[in-house]
Amino acid sequence: MFSLPALRPHSRFPLSFPSPHRFLPKPSLFSALSASLTLALDPDHRPLHYGPSLRRGRRPSPASPPSLGSGDGPLIDKASFGRVFDVAALRVPAEECAALENRLRGHLLNWPRVRNVARVSGDDVEPEFKRIMRDAEGDGGDRLRSLARRVDGVSDGEEVVAPSPVMYREKLAKDFNWRGFVRFRNLAKISRPKKKKKKRDGEREGIEAKERMEKNGFSFLEVVEDGGGDGEEEDDMRGLLGADFHVGRWRGPTRLLLLDERYANKGIDELPEAVKVVLLGDSRKSMPSIYELVQCHLTLFYNYWQMNELLEDLLPENMVVPTGFETVGHIAHLNLRDEHLPYKKLIAQVVLDKNKPKIQTVVNKIDAIQNDYRTMQLEVLAGNHSLVTTVVENGIRFQVDLATVYWNSRLATERQRVVSGFTSSDVVCDVFSGVGPIAISAAKKVKHVYANDLNPIAVEYLERNIVLNRLERKISVFNMEGRRFICAIFANQRPYPITQVVMNLPNDAAEFLDAFRGIFRKRPRENDCNLPKIHLYGFSKAQNPEYDFHQRINMALCETVADIEMHRVRLVAPGKWMLCATFTLPLTVALAKQTGH
Ligand SMILES: C[S@@+](CC[C@H](N)C(=O)[O-])C[C@H]1O[C@@H](n2cnc3c(N)ncnc32)[C@H](O)[C@@H]1O
């Protein structure tokens, strides 16, 4: 079962706790806890907000940035879940980014699922240009500076702050041969001065932005304010180096290192020392700083938010949020409360959206299991309507049709526990085998398995699963009523005497125990009686469930079983335990006079 932590969004304490229950109420306990922790952490008694939240971000303006999934499906207006956050970032050379990320880790945004490093679209330079820049800078920038001096008419003794864009252009024009010219396409604009088409530029940026966003699918980052530069010079160089070129900046590929949200819209003075050192340290050199502080808008879309965050926003204020579901293959199985029923399709859509592609179908149980075959009444709420699925449990594949057979993924561990007690010399009899999770798992280990179920469709799937797992020679299949099956299977001496019996029908299995009375009565010698070990499942709501279940076993066998091992499997409802009792069938029962069943 997946379980997602959930706190209501207006909870003041932003940490989340794993929920032990399927539904996390919005109880006063949590509010009290969150309030006290908030106060403890914040001496000004201001609520501490950290991390992205649907309640904190601004809604994006309709025009920009592009929304994701708008109008996708009639149930949920996904576009309405876009939220914009102000974030400051350091623009740094790409090559230094990893080292800086490590160095500044504690001062970075560190939001879940948002990378601290963002690419700057369009500023990745072609390797050819990189080489020229490296060559030019190879002597500590002397060649660049000397070139700049000549271009700017500055004598050799004077200090040059930055090589001018004109110089770069000349240098590039000289260095590129005709092939390089083709590869560095913006260079063509030297002879064709760039026309200022602001609108078209904007459109192009829009397209780039969209491309960037669709790559990661749930967030979008745009730089809204930065150091800028000399307008004319900048425009000139933009024509040469592309839209993202800015004068005085590092002219190689850059990355944005997103800073902790508290530094949004702050000046350099207000940044932590470690960040200041990065920003200002370089300005002492003669080159302009290659690091820049920029302000960005980070937009998070529907795809970003987690299931509980979306449901908290979608469901009425005081409603508990469903936080978990069971999975069976591609099917998510909800167990909704009555109060959720008016929102069942909405909830199912969110579950589907947030768990694709693993989950393809979302269902809700309509009724408690009541029928003989222990099948569930399910309603498909979202996704495709197929309830036939393949489950992999403990490495074994099972095909099941949830509409017609019993399956419970929560028993996987228990099934493994029981099978782990079997040895290669065992012969197992699974009286209520269903589609075979115990029988097939056991067959991989033991000498032989006799598997039975009353439900003919379960037996059909059992046979399919035996073939699927290539165990045809290890399992014999029966479609009989349980009591009759027990009598029949023990009536004759089989080539493999049964050593283990599994009875997993917790509601009624104990009542089938009388079938064991007298099973060896017709055996001529006591030595021929291989008394099987029985693993019997049952429920108990008693104060002492083990005692209660033991009593029921004694009554059913009309005998006191002295040596019995009890295992609590799980709580199926408040105060109701599922138990597994393991005991060896008493000889007195096996030889008893049958009681007319
Ligand atoms: C709780 S399920 C357990 C199935 C399987 N052991 C498992 O773990 O998935 C109980 C199974 O017993 C079968 N069953 C119910 N009543 C039965 C009966 N009287 N005789 C034989 N099988 C029965 C049901 O069809 C169902 O498949």
Side-chain angles (χ1 to χ4, degrees), residues 573-586:
K576 184 176 175 182
W577 278 99
M578 178 178 177
L579 300 151
C580 179
T582 300
F583 58 93
T584 301
L585 183 73

Side-chain angles (χ1 to χ4, degrees), residues 372-373 406 415 432-434 437 453-455 480-482 504 512:
D372 276 354
Y373 298 158
Y406 173 91
R415 297 193 266 251
F432 310 104
S433 71
D453 202 281
L454 183 65
N455 178 357
M480 296 171 73
E481 195 283 323
N504 180 11
F512 284 72

Side-chain angles (χ1 to χ4, degrees), residues 196-207:
K196 286 176 190 166
K197 284 187 189 163
K198 288 261 176 220
K199 195 161 169 261
R200 282 206 54 213
D201 244 2
E203 276 168 16
R204 199 175 64 82
E205 271 164 17
I207 291 164

Side-chain angles (χ1 to χ4, degrees), residues 140-323:
D142 283 355
R143 281 171 64 192
L144 273 181
R145 274 191 287 278
S146 153
L147 201 59
R149 279 189 189 97
R150 271 184 279 137
V151 170
D152 295 342
V154 178
S155 76
D156 260 5
E158 288 174 57
E159 187 53 41
V160 171
V161 173
S164 84
V166 178
M167 176 274 295
Y168 276 119
R169 201 165 56 190
E170 295 298 311
K171 167 79 182 140
L172 286 170
K174 268 187 200 157
D175 278 18
F176 277 97
N177 60 21
W178 65 273
R179 288 185 53 181
F181 193 93
V182 170
R183 265 184 274 161
F184 195 72
R185 55 191 182 285
N186 281 341
L187 205 60
K189 291 174 186 164
I190 287 175
S191 48
R192 276 185 275 119
K194 191 175 75 72
K195 284 182 192 154
K196 286 176 190 166
K197 284 187 189 163
K198 288 261 176 220
K199 195 161 169 261
R200 282 206 54 213
D201 244 2
E203 276 168 16
R204 199 175 64 82
E205 271 164 17
I207 291 164
E208 270 176 14
K210 205 165 198 160
E211 280 166 2
R212 249 183 295 164
M213 184 202 66
E214 278 165 2
K215 253 187 205 162
N216 101 4
F218 55 72
S219 69
F220 167 74
L221 186 84
E222 58 180 342
V223 177
V224 287
E225 188 195 305
D226 55 27
D230 179 314
E232 211 177 296
E233 248 184 14
E234 186 157 339
D235 274 350
D236 197 23
M237 284 307 281
R238 269 177 192 237
L240 176 62
L241 297 179
D244 286 307
F245 176 83
H246 297 275
V247 167
R249 287 202 186 118
W250 168 247
R251 286 169 179 83
T254 60
R255 298 283 182 272
L256 296 176
L257 267 182
L258 308 189
L259 296 178
D260 186 288
E261 58 182 308
R262 79 185 92 148
Y263 306 124
N265 303 315
K266 293 276 167 33
I268 293 179
D269 288 354
E270 295 165 279
L271 298 179
E273 212 48 42
V275 180
K276 267 194 241 173
V277 167
V278 171
L279 270 171
L280 302 173
D282 198 63
S283 69
R284 287 193 290 274
K285 295 183 190 165
S286 53
M287 290 282 282
S289 173
I290 54 173
Y291 307 109
E292 266 182 289
L293 179 65
V294 295
Q295 301 302 329
C296 311
H297 283 170
L298 173 64
T299 309
L300 302 177
F301 299 99
Y302 177 85
N303 286 357
Y304 174 80
W305 306 107
Q306 301 224 305
M307 184 172 115
N308 61 315
E309 292 166 309
L310 292 168
L311 290 177
E312 280 162 359
D313 203 74
L314 284 164
L315 296 178
E317 183 74 9
N318 291 318
M319 189 172 281
V320 291
V321 173
T323 57

Side-chain angles (χ1 to χ4, degrees), residues 424-444:
S424 57
S425 57
D426 271 322
V427 174
V428 177
C429 167
D430 190 353
V431 184
F432 310 104
S433 71
V435 301
I438 295 174
I440 290 176
S441 172
K444 294 218 158 211

